């Protein structure tokens, strides 16, 4: 499947990413990043919005957010949002990735759906905020002793 830019709905700016919205959906988006080795914090933030014609009882369609290594192997499952959750409103998600410092990563979004009703998941303002540890230079005093 494909994800499309759309201007409605969007959280901010001109566009959001639209996944799903059709039967048997299977859409994937990812961004490759290199997380520096020495970080004090690394926070993944994104906004999501879900529209569905499915009921609120059984999970049929889902958006799964994972972090994968550079080759696509699963490192961490962050979130799974399904059609039983909040609808028609923007929700912010935030996750600490600092434990993955020093690695090549893929932030991966996958939307899956069944053959009955359709669910659309919209993503906007995906960001990674990284604070690196400062480089501290400590000058050590030299003790000089001269021969006696």
């Amino acid at each position: 499947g494909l994800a499309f830019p759309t201007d409605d709905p969007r959280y901010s700016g001109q566009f959001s990413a639209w996944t799903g919205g059709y039967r048997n959906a299977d859409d994937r988006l990812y961004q490759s990043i290199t997380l520096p080795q020495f970080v004090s914090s690394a926070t993944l933030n994104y906004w999501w919005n879900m529209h569905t014609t499915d009921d609120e009882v059984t999970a049929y369609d889902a958006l799964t957010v994972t972090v994968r290594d550079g080759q696509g192997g699963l490192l961490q499952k962050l979130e799974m949002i399904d059609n039983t959750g909040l609808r028609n409103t923007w929700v912010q998600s935030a996750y600490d990735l600092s434990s993955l410092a020093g690695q090549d990563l893929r932030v991966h979004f996958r939307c899956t759906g069944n053959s009955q009703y359709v669910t659309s998941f919209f993503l906007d303002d995906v960001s990674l905020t990284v604070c690196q540890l400062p480089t501290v230079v400590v000058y050590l005093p030299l003790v000089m002793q001269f021969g006696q």
Side-chain angles (χ1 to χ4, degrees):
L2 297 173
F4 294 98
T6 182
D7 61 357
D8 187 41
R10 62 187 182 273
Y11 179 74
S12 71
Q14 291 185 310
F15 299 100
S16 66
W18 176 15
T19 63
Y22 62 97
R23 290 186 171 99
N24 299 311
D26 190 1
D27 297 335
R28 301 160 199 240
L29 296 168
Y30 74 86
Q31 177 65 51
S32 296
I33 57 170
T34 298
L35 200 55
Q37 184 172 2
F38 300 105
V39 299
S40 58
S41 67
T43 305
L44 173 68
N45 287 287
Y46 54 92
W47 289 84
W48 60 268
N49 191 334
M50 186 257 303
H51 295 224
T52 186
T53 56
D54 273 322
D55 65 50
E56 296 178 10
V57 178
T58 306
Y60 297 110
D61 307 321
L63 177 70
T64 305
V65 184
T66 57
V67 177
R68 298 175 176 273
D69 62 26
Q71 290 71 46
L74 181 64
L75 294 174
Q76 203 171 18
K77 182 177 176 180
L78 301 179
E79 181 170 36
M80 184 170 167
I81 305 158
D82 63 50
N83 59 273
T84 64
L86 290 172
R87 298 169 182 223
N88 307 317
T89 189
W90 285 100
V91 179
Q92 184 180 29
S93 293
Y95 293 93
D96 179 17
L97 302 183
S98 59
S99 65
L100 302 172
Q103 298 185 54
D104 292 328
L105 305 173
R106 289 183 185 177
V107 178
H108 195 271
F109 299 90
R110 182 178 183 192
C111 170
T112 55
N114 69 355
S115 62
Q116 295 297 317
Y117 301 102
V118 297
T119 301
S120 293
F121 293 95
F122 299 90
L123 294 162
D124 206 351
D125 289 358
V126 179
S127 66
L128 179 65
T129 304
V130 176
C131 294
Q132 288 188 269
L133 294 172
T135 302
V136 178
V137 177
V138 177
Y139 292 96
L140 302 174
L142 293 175
V143 177
M144 300 178 85
Q145 291 183 334
F146 295 98
Q148 303 191 355

